[in-house]
Amino acid sequence: MWSFSTYSHGPSLLILFTTSSLLGFAFGGEGFCSAPSTVDSDADSKALYYKVTNPTLSPSHLQDLPGFTRSVYKRDHALITPESQVFSPLPDWTNTLGAYLITPAIGSHFVMYLAQMKEKSKSGLPPTDVERFLFVIQGAAKLTNSSGITEKLTVDSFAYLPPNFDHSVMSDSSATLVVFERRYASLVDHHTKQIVGSTDKQPLLETPGEVFQLRKLLPMSMPYDFNVHIMDFEPGEFLNVKEVHYNQHGLLLLEGQGIYRLGDCWYPVQSGDAIWMAPFVPQWYAALGKTRSRYLLYKDMNRNPLDHK
């Protein structure tokens, strides 16, 4: 068992690790902060984003620690970890369980949830004037619009559905989606369109002063009031900018592990963890372990904060 304690005084932060902690880091094993072996014979056989639904530190690993969770809720941020995600039938969906990770009750202007679609499942429609973005992290589904056009969505593919756009998502076997929804902030003479794509088809964008790789899944043009970024960090890489800004974020760690600073707190995070960041909370990330870190990040944009709805 490993543990650590933190003590802060002014700007200084002291982290004390127990001897067993240091041994755990040195010799690996199944502890949360140990990375998988680079010679793991099963590594290549695992599906992309397998760790999101099968995290290294899974809920089953915490059964002997009654009352323990890594989840945290504060005024300006929240960390929602797999052992505290609560699934129940998703309203207006068929044969689908959902876990709401971020909602306006937390202070956000958007909703983020996981949808676990079972055999012969079907989505419902979002409320009036609400746009939807979905990203497949396990399995496969079919997206059909009112014109009868069907697109197959597999792992790492995504879709954007404009507000009041008739559509359905169906799965014959099973699929897990992360879904973002928000009430569209309309602009005169600007309209969004349905978009279907996959991460690997999106170009890498320049990140001046940074080392991470960045892809944006939606157009950066004015009609779109948010975007979703895919950000990749190799082990040891970190954000150079300690960000403080007006934008809100919803994040899902798809691969890897690291340390996320939120406000004055420093959190070990792993695949499957979700994070909410309020406007102006200080934020920073560093990738640890032996494998790439990848996270999916919601970010509002293209609207004057004074006009925010």
Side-chain angles (χ1 to χ4, degrees):
M1 184 65 126
W2 60 270
S3 62
F4 67 89
S5 301
T6 61
Y7 300 89
S8 62
H9 181 72
S12 301
L13 179 70
L14 176 64
I15 302 179
L16 301 178
F17 290 90
T18 66
T19 302
S20 59
S21 169
L22 295 176
L23 292 174
F25 283 129
F27 295 104
E30 292 301 318
F32 163 64
C33 282
S34 61
S37 169
T38 56
V39 296
D40 184 357
S41 60
D42 293 333
D44 293 335
S45 64
K46 301 299 185 186
L48 188 63
Y49 308 145
Y50 170 83
K51 288 281 190 178
V52 175
T53 51
N54 299 273
T56 300
L57 184 63
S58 68
S60 63
H61 291 147
L62 304 178
Q63 289 178 351
D64 294 331
L65 294 172
F68 176 81
T69 179
R70 293 187 297 112
S71 291
V72 175
Y73 168 65
K74 293 183 178 291
R75 177 188 61 82
D76 55 8
H77 69 269
L79 169 66
I80 305 97
T81 57
E83 74 275 359
S84 55
Q85 295 170 4
V86 179
F87 287 84
S88 60
L90 198 56
D92 302 320
W93 293 52
T94 303
N95 293 338
T96 304
L97 297 178
Y100 285 97
L101 306 176
I102 301 172
T103 75
I106 209 172
S108 69
H109 60 240
F110 65 95
V111 168
M112 173 183 176
Y113 59 92
L114 295 175
Q116 292 182 343
M117 304 185 74
K118 308 301 182 183
E119 184 178 358
K120 299 187 185 317
S121 52
K122 183 178 180 180
S123 68
L125 289 172
T128 301
D129 297 334
V130 169
E131 56 193 331
R132 169 181 284 172
F133 177 93
L134 54 89
F135 184 94
V136 182
I137 54 179
Q138 179 271 321
K142 293 184 295 184
L143 170 67
T144 304
N145 62 24
S146 59
S147 300
I149 300 173
T150 298
E151 303 270 4
K152 184 177 181 180
L153 303 177
T154 56
V155 173
D156 214 31
S157 59
F158 61 89
Y160 168 82
L161 295 317
N164 308 316
F165 183 80
D166 190 16
H167 68 278
S168 65
V169 181
M170 294 177 286
S171 180
D172 294 329
S173 53
S174 69
T176 302
L177 318 176
V178 56
V179 184
F180 295 94
E181 294 174 349
R182 63 166 287 171
R183 196 164 299 281
Y184 181 60
S186 59
L187 292 176
V188 176
D189 297 328
H190 288 279
H191 304 282
T192 60
K193 298 179 180 180
Q194 176 186 338
I195 296 172
V196 177
S198 61
T199 300
D200 61 351
K201 295 297 195 320
Q202 307 310 305
L204 287 173
L205 303 177
E206 292 186 5
T207 55
E210 297 286 358
V211 295
F212 64 85
Q213 293 188 331
L214 171 66
R215 293 174 173 87
K216 295 186 179 184
L217 305 187
L218 295 181
M220 291 177 276
S221 54
M222 283 302 296
Y224 297 87
D225 57 2
F226 75 91
N227 213 312
V228 176
H229 299 180
I230 296 289
M231 299 173 66
D232 293 340
F233 298 78
E234 294 301 319
E237 293 182 344
F238 54 87
L239 287 169
N240 284 320
V241 177
K242 283 64 70 176
E243 296 184 350
V244 177
H245 51 56
Y246 79 92
N247 313 84
Q248 295 191 29
H249 287 319
L251 179 153
L252 181 66
L253 194 60
L254 298 172
E255 293 181 318
Q257 57 188 352
I259 297 291
Y260 225 107
R261 177 187 174 177
L262 299 168
D264 293 329
C265 300
W266 305 69
Y267 300 105
V269 293
Q270 64 167 2
S271 303
D273 289 354
I275 297 174
W276 168 65
M277 293 172 250
F280 298 105
V281 62
Q283 54 198 256
W284 177 86
Y285 180 69
L288 302 178
K290 298 179 181 178
T291 60
R292 176 184 72 178
S293 281
R294 166 173 284 188
Y295 58 71
L296 175 149
L297 184 78
Y298 164 96
K299 179 179 182 178
D300 54 299
M301 65 174 198
N302 287 337
R303 298 296 184 270
N304 189 319
L306 293 176
D307 295 331
H308 176 68
K309 299 180 180 180

